[in-house]
Amino acid sequence: MMKKFAILTTLLLVSPCLLRGQGVDNSAKPAAGFVFAAPGAFVGDGREFLHFGGGGEGLLKGGFGATAELGYLARPDALDGGIGLFSAGALYQFGPKRKTVPFVTGGYSMAFRSGSANLMHVGGGLVRWVGSHWGLRIEGRDHFRPQSSDFHTLEIRVGVQIR
């Protein structure tokens, strides 16, 4: 499982670079990839977890865009007993051409291991562009079941974003 996760994360990191080589005008519709590590806790029982992952995002019009990511969430004392977490959703960036770009995001998430669970996610944060092609990303995110409280998380993500 970890080998597949490492390969997928590498592909997610490389894909923005490949897309950039196709002559797309990034000033109009910038695309970016990101990787993150996130400590967090399950709401209710307070059990801690680590969440690692990566993904990509692209602006469609103005500050509105789409995002998708894949990650692995596990308790620190049992990293081999975690779950996969896929998320796809919408985002809005406030002032996407500035050096510091706040954003909000939300959408669908799916937790999977031997079965699957449908979830939703909401979050927000900022990207501080350090160079013309990379920045530091900080985000708070919540994954939850809309109809139930049996799966609810809070996490603080720290990562790198590249465009």
Side-chain angles (χ1 to χ4, degrees), residues 14 52 61 90-92 102 106 109 111 135:
V14 172
F52 303 96
K61 183 166 183 159
L91 77 113
Y92 184 79
S109 292

Side-chain angles (χ1 to χ4, degrees), residues 16 32 48 82 106 127 144-145:
E48 298 174 344
V127 175
F144 60 95
R145 285 187 194 211

